[in-house]
Each structure stands twice: as structure tokens, then as C-alpha cells.
Amino acid sequence: MNYRTLGRTGLKVSEIGFGAWGIGKTSWIGADDQESLKALNRSVELGLNFIDTALGYGDGHSEKLVGQVVREHAGNIYVATKIPPINRQWPARSGVPVEETFTKEHVISCTEKSLRNLGLETIDVQQFHVWSDEWVGKGDWLEGVQKLKEQGKIRFFGVSINDYQPSNALKLIESGLVDTVQVIYNIFEQSPEDELLPACEKHDIGVIVRVALDEGGLTGKITPETTFDQGDFRNHYFRGDRKQEVFERVQKIAADLNISIDDIAETALRYVLSSPAVSTVIPGMRSVANVERNMKVGDGLGLPEDQVAKLKPHRWVRNFYN
């Protein structure tokens, strides 16, 4: 496993981290707690040392599973979690005052709840689960963050940037108030390359990449016939003709790179890791098989430059969450 520095935090984190949304048993349907624990443990055995969860993933269920595993292993396993907005609106909407999303009191109370769920004394990276640059310099949320740092309850502060709005954190980055950002970045969603990633390199901000596999779209497993369990959010994400669109675009990627469909997921992860601005990528991994497949990618090699160049025309501007 290759390790990268998480920006100015100085933490050395595994290129492949663990995205723990899928084990929270909400939105993603079908997780089994015992299999989730096996997957988490196997990932740590293979060198993974960064796990990203959130208070909102199963109302703390994901945090409890993560904490159980972290406490069982000696050595440094870095845990990042997230504070949900007070108004429970994902993503943050323009014009909504920060008093309706993050206050000092809310930041502190949610962090203390997460610490109880995790069974830990300190959270390595505490993040806001949504963000709007309109909030820079507004409200009292920063007082909450600073107090938690002073108390040793959190080490570093970050934000999870709104879906497909990578430029909506540039002001925060320039303010010097944030240590990390989490962003959607993949073969289709290349827009972070325009402004966000250069800004993060300039200001030494850690970059955590989510949705590198496009919620499954870049695994090669989505076909026009694919079905999901009732209640699974992917029924909405891949509704209508979207499965057909994704299927056709993945076929084109495979043809352009002269690779098999089975190699798509690895290629997608390597594309993200080919950016020097990226610190870690956090695919969801609910099975040991997925862990073992993804962990092999964290070897520091990324993707050959010619393949990266061939993937640039596959940028696809759209938002399937809408």
C-alpha cells in the first residue's frame, strides 16, 4: 500500500481509504453487519489506515461499526466523520443562512455524539457534510470547531463539498480555515481539475475523493437490465434511460483504452490517483472481495499518462442525484 500526505495535516494516509456510507444500512440496501466488519478488518490487514464515515450514515450505525474495528487494531487508523446540517438538506442550497445548517452548539453536540458512537476520544478529521462558500465569515460555527480542537476532540477540520459544485469551496480554501476537502471526482466528473485541485495544491489542502466509481456506474457492472433492492437510492440515481447511457459510455471507455469491462473499476480508481493533488480515494467496500480488489490499486502507480490523456474526452457533465 502506498501512502500520501493528507495536505497540511501531515497525516500519512493510504491511497485507498474506506468509504463507510454503504455499511450504514440506509440508502445503500443489502449490507450485512458481519460482512461489513470482515471487509473493514480485511482492509486494515492490507494496509488501509483511513476510514470515512458520517453521523448521518444509518443514524450512527456506520460509526459504531467503524469504531468497533478501529478499537480492535493497534496502530494508527485515521477516522474521518461528518456533521449533518441542522436542516437535513443535501446538498446545501444557495441563500440558506448558516444559522440553519451549522451552529457552534450543533457542531459540538454532533461531534460528541459521534465520539460516543465511535468509542474514541478523538476524531482525526471532522467534516461538515455539506458546504456553501456563502458561509465563510458568517455565524458561530468556527468557534465550535476551534473549541473542539482545543479540547482535543478533533484534530483537523474539513468539508464535504456539494455534489458537482467543486468551485463552491474555493473561498473557504483561500481563507485558511480548512484542512481537507472531500469532493466527487471521477472519469465522468472531471471538473475538480479546473479550479479546485490546483487551489488545494497551492494551499496544501488534503483532498479526499468520493464517488470515484460513480455509485457503481464506473464498475462495468451496470447494464440496462440491472436492478436494485427496493429502497436503494440507486433506483433513483440510475432511473429512466440512465443505465443505458452509462453502459454505452463505459463500453466506449473500454474500447478507447483497449481494456476489458472487468478492468473498468481499477482504471477508474487509478485515474483519480493519477492526480498529485489527491490524497486518498474512498470507494465503498461492503465485501471482502471488493476490498481485496480495490486495495491492489493503491500501489502508487496510478495510470499511464497516455491512458489518462485518452480519458479526458470522456468528461460527462451531468448530475444523476437530481
Side-chain angles (χ1 to χ4, degrees):
M1 174 58 65
N2 189 55
Y3 298 85
R4 300 186 179 196
T5 305
L6 186 64
R8 66 189 196 186
T9 72
L11 302 180
K12 298 291 186 182
V13 297
S14 49
E15 282 192 340
I16 303 294
F18 196 107
W21 182 21
I23 67 173
K25 289 189 166 180
T26 52
S27 299
W28 288 82
I29 305 301
D32 174 81
D33 284 353
Q34 291 309 307
E35 183 67 16
S36 296
L37 290 169
K38 287 178 184 176
L40 279 163
N41 278 301
R42 183 62 176 146
S43 71
V44 173
E45 289 171 7
L46 294 173
L48 181 144
N49 73 346
F50 184 83
I51 304 174
D52 177 85
T53 183
L55 183 56
Y57 296 164
D59 192 26
H61 186 73
S62 175
E63 288 181 329
K64 290 173 184 175
L65 294 177
V66 168
Q68 181 178 332
V69 170
V70 171
R71 295 193 306 272
E72 289 173 357
H73 288 270
N76 286 331
I77 302 175
Y78 302 117
V79 175
T81 191
K82 308 181 201 74
I83 300 167
I86 296 168
N87 62 8
R88 292 299 199 271
Q89 286 183 356
W90 279 270
R93 297 174 189 173
S94 179
V96 174
V98 73
E99 290 80 8
E100 295 182 17
T101 55
F102 299 104
T103 62
K104 174 183 177 180
E105 180 184 6
H106 181 68
V107 168
I108 292 172
S109 65
C110 284
T111 299
E112 290 176 343
K113 186 173 182 181
S114 289
L115 286 168
R116 289 194 296 272
N117 288 337
L118 291 162
L120 301 175
E121 294 182 359
T122 304
I123 292 165
D124 296 295
V125 184
Q126 178 62 293
Q127 306 159 100
F128 285 3
H129 209 151
V130 299
W131 178 254
S132 171
D133 259 353
E134 297 172 8
W135 302 334
V136 175
K138 307 275 182 68
D140 62 0
W141 60 268
L142 185 58
E143 294 176 30
V145 171
Q146 291 171 335
K147 182 176 181 181
L148 289 166
K149 283 187 174 183
E150 290 166 3
Q151 293 175 332
K153 293 180 179 178
I154 68 172
R155 297 176 67 188
F156 302 104
F157 169 66
V159 298
S160 183
I161 300 174
N162 291 349
D163 304 336
Y164 303 106
Q165 296 178 23
S167 297
N168 194 4
L170 295 177
K171 189 176 176 183
L172 178 66
I173 288 167
E174 291 165 2
S175 75
L177 300 175
V178 72
D179 302 305
T180 67
V181 295
Q182 185 175 141
V183 65
I184 294 176
Y185 177 41
N186 58 52
I187 292 170
F188 294 145
E189 170 54 12
Q190 299 179 25
S191 60
E193 297 171 3
D194 301 339
E195 294 182 287
L196 179 73
L197 297 184
C200 288
E201 285 193 283
K202 178 181 177 181
H203 295 278
D204 198 20
I205 302 301
V207 176
I208 303 162
V209 172
R210 70 182 192 271
V211 198
L213 299 176
D214 187 39
E215 307 294 15
L218 284 165
T219 63
K221 300 289 175 60
I222 302 296
T223 72
E225 291 75 39
T226 299
T227 59
F228 304 102
D229 292 334
Q230 185 176 355
D232 193 300
F233 87 100
R234 287 171 294 176
N235 285 305
H236 173 84
Y237 191 83
F238 291 112
R239 70 187 185 278
D241 295 330
R242 291 176 174 183
K243 285 180 283 192
Q244 181 69 39
E245 285 185 271
V246 167
F247 176 77
E248 291 175 1
R249 286 177 181 267
V250 167
Q251 297 291 321
K252 186 73 165 56
I253 290 171
D256 284 357
L257 269 62
N258 193 29
I259 60 175
S260 75
I261 295 298
D262 289 342
D263 293 328
I264 289 292
E266 178 177 343
T267 299
L269 292 175
R270 288 190 180 280
Y271 176 82
V272 167
L273 290 170
S274 294
S275 169
V278 170
S279 308
T280 185
V281 57
I282 51 168
M285 300 184 284
R286 297 193 292 181
S287 69
V288 170
N290 284 345
V291 166
E292 292 178 343
R293 182 196 70 198
N294 291 339
M295 293 295 286
K296 291 177 183 177
V297 182
D299 53 17
L301 299 178
L303 204 60
E305 286 184 17
D306 62 324
Q307 290 196 330
V308 171
K310 287 179 181 177
L311 288 169
K312 295 303 180 186
H314 290 278
R315 179 187 285 222
W316 182 14
V317 180
R318 50 87 161 118
N319 185 351
F320 274 13
Y321 293 107
N322 289 338

